[in-house]
Amino acid sequence: MKVIGLSGWSGAGKTTLLTRVIPYLLSRGLRVSVIKHAHHDFDVDVPGKDSWVHRQSGATEVLVSSARRWALMHELRDAGEPRLPELLAKVSRVDLVIVEGFKREPHRKIEVHRLANNKPLLFPDDPNIAGIATDAAIETTLPIAHLDDVEAVAGLMQRSAIPVEDVLAARACEV
């Protein structure tokens, strides 16, 4: 299992790019999962439904299962937000895990940069950025793919991905 991040400012088009890259990778026979960072209070559950009531009642975890899918919701309560390695350890084995967001975590990333977003580039200050997907002309030695070139972006992501064990080992060195 390998891991690659997509990092960039809000509005750069990370999610839009992923909705185009994932089907391309799947068409090439890869099994892909995504870990998405949310910057705000979010809910995947419907207020009033049984699972929501169970969480509101204080359950630490609620697992909902059907013939089509299952979802595990874990309430942090007063615990700290988990770091990326902790989340990677919970994901089922696939060929490629794409991490959207988590720009402050020290894993290998592709920066998504959109000129119209009017935000600075992250790569000069983040040594973990291995390439850039952009619609701008940028001078760098890093590999660049155009945002609209799904095949090139997917190739850049695959070439830059690192084994999950390397991400987990890096975290172990920090502790």
Side-chain angles (χ1 to χ4, degrees):
M1 183 161 84
K2 291 193 170 187
V3 179
I4 187 66
L6 277 188
S7 191
W9 298 105
S10 178
K14 297 179 298 293
T15 301
T16 301
L17 185 59
L18 268 181
T19 63
R20 297 173 63 214
V21 169
I22 291 171
Y24 178 83
L25 293 169
L26 295 176
S27 76
R28 298 293 187 257
L30 272 74
R31 293 170 303 133
V32 179
S33 291
V34 175
I35 295 178
K36 162 81 172 130
H37 187 259
H39 292 284
H40 43 72
D41 190 23
F42 71 96
D43 207 331
V44 295
D45 207 358
V46 178
K49 292 289 186 179
D50 292 351
S51 54
W52 183 86
V53 172
H54 298 319
R55 283 192 306 118
Q56 296 305 309
S57 297
T60 298
E61 290 187 333
V62 176
L63 191 144
V64 182
S65 180
S66 74
R68 292 189 171 266
R69 70 187 55 90
W70 65 269
L72 176 64
M73 291 165 283
H74 181 97
E75 290 295 318
L76 292 174
R77 304 293 176 209
D78 292 326
E81 181 177 357
R83 300 279 309 270
L84 181 58
E86 294 170 64
L87 298 173
L88 283 168
K90 296 177 186 306
V91 176
S92 297
R93 302 284 298 182
V94 294
D95 299 307
L96 183 64
V97 176
I98 303 170
V99 178
E100 183 184 344
F102 289 93
K103 68 177 169 248
R104 307 248 186 274
E105 289 277 349
H107 62 290
R108 180 99 36 100
K109 305 168 204 134
I110 303 300
E111 179 172 356
V112 179
H113 180 265
R114 185 173 303 280
L115 188 60
N117 206 18
N118 239 1
K119 297 280 188 180
L121 285 156
L122 300 172
F123 88 88
D125 298 322
D126 187 344
N128 296 299
I129 293 179
I132 304 171
T134 184
D135 60 357
I138 298 171
E139 287 201 31
T140 179
T141 57
L142 293 175
I144 295 178
H146 194 279
L147 281 173
D148 293 330
D149 190 343
V150 172
E151 185 176 350
V153 172
L156 180 58
M157 292 172 71
Q158 286 180 274
R159 285 188 304 277
S160 302
I162 60 173
V164 68
E165 292 80 12
D166 292 355
V167 178
L168 298 175
R171 175 63 176 142
C173 291
E174 290 177 10
V175 178

